[in-house]
Amino acid sequence: LQFSWSFSGPGNISISDNTAPDPSLDFNGTEPGLYTITVEVGNEACDPITQNFEVEVSAAPVVELAELDIYCEVASLDLLPSYPNQSLVDSVFWQFPAGAMPVEESNDLDPGNITVEGPGDYTVSVSVFNACGESVAEQPFTILQGPMLDLAIPADTLCAGSSVMVENNSTGDQLAYTWTYEGNGNVTFSDATSPVPEATFPDTGVFVLNVLVGNPVCDPVSWSDTVWVLESPTVSFPAI
């Protein structure tokens, strides 16, 4: 018998010997899709006969996940998964942080909006599977706590030339401070971006110290306090 092997399909198949009765067919690296393997068998006297075999070639699925953002207090996740060849995906498994709403796990291609509350660093992952393998995509995200201010000026009445250090027990993540003042005189801050600056009052008058506190994603919060600065007392003695 004489054999002649061939194929048709979307990619290439390696046939070890296309005249052998039992060649090896190598599908490694070929494009997924439906292939038809054809063998024609004959001899010198008889007419050849042809037989076709269909082989469905698959591949491991692929999933991609868009980058997530930084959020304030609550993360509302609009996930944007991408499946370059969705026909290869047999099943999907999403994992969200503990306490996520409305679900912590999902088997949907698109799980919809997911809400996560509370400051911290988190990760979302999605896995896709079929008989050829799996693919996993992960994206981290961060939720920041907004500023909760607890500030105080130790003394609200000072003498001209005095200095005072701000007391600060505020909480929040990645807080940035901007100190300013109002009044008919001068106030100097040791560092107008410090959480605990030292304020010096060379002039008398009524001064309002202001600070604006925020972080990269949360709305800033303001605080102010008033300081009265008096002239230092003097004493003199009549000439003797």
Side-chain angles (χ1 to χ4, degrees), residues 62-230:
V62 175
V63 62
E64 299 168 351
L65 191 57
E67 289 186 4
L68 299 176
D69 213 335
I70 301 176
Y71 305 87
C72 179
E73 305 285 352
V74 177
S76 180
L77 305 177
D78 291 317
L79 301 166
L80 299 174
S82 173
Y83 306 95
N85 192 337
Q86 188 172 318
S87 64
L88 298 177
V89 177
D90 287 344
S91 60
V92 181
F93 180 59
W94 289 88
Q95 286 185 298
F96 309 111
M101 295 294 290
V103 294
E104 295 180 5
E105 298 177 350
S106 175
N107 298 111
D108 296 328
L109 286 169
D110 184 354
N113 183 268
I114 300 295
T115 300
V116 180
E117 296 186 3
D121 295 318
Y122 301 94
T123 300
V124 169
S125 71
V126 56
S127 304
V128 291
F129 307 87
N130 68 12
C132 295
E134 68 177 283
S135 173
V136 179
E138 295 183 339
Q139 286 294 346
F141 67 96
T142 299
I143 301 177
L144 300 183
Q145 178 185 337
M148 299 287 290
L149 299 188
D150 182 5
L151 295 153
I153 304 295
D156 59 7
T157 302
L158 300 171
C159 293
S162 299
S163 299
V164 65
M165 184 77 74
V166 175
E167 295 178 352
N168 190 350
N169 294 302
S170 303
T171 58
D173 295 320
Q174 301 181 24
L175 297 183
Y177 291 77
T178 303
W179 290 90
T180 60
Y181 72 92
E182 302 169 42
N184 295 322
N186 189 41
V187 178
T188 58
F189 296 101
S190 57
D191 182 350
T193 61
S194 169
V196 285
E198 182 179 58
T200 300
F201 301 85
D203 302 319
T204 60
V206 179
F207 298 91
V208 177
L209 303 188
N210 305 302
V211 65
L212 191 66
V213 184
N215 63 27
V217 290
C218 298
D219 291 334
V221 178
S222 62
W223 175 91
S224 62
D225 199 4
T226 302
V227 176
W228 284 264
V229 180
L230 307 178

Side-chain angles (χ1 to χ4, degrees), residues 5-7 13-20 23-26 37-38:
W5 293 87
S6 62
F7 70 89
I13 298 173
S14 177
I15 302 176
S16 60
D17 183 350
N18 63 0
T19 62
S24 173
L25 305 179
D26 186 359
I37 313 300
T38 302

Side-chain angles (χ1 to χ4, degrees), residues 8-11 31-36 53-57:
S8 63
E31 292 293 324
L34 182 64
Y35 290 79
T36 301
F53 309 89
E54 287 191 343
V55 177
E56 181 74 34
V57 176

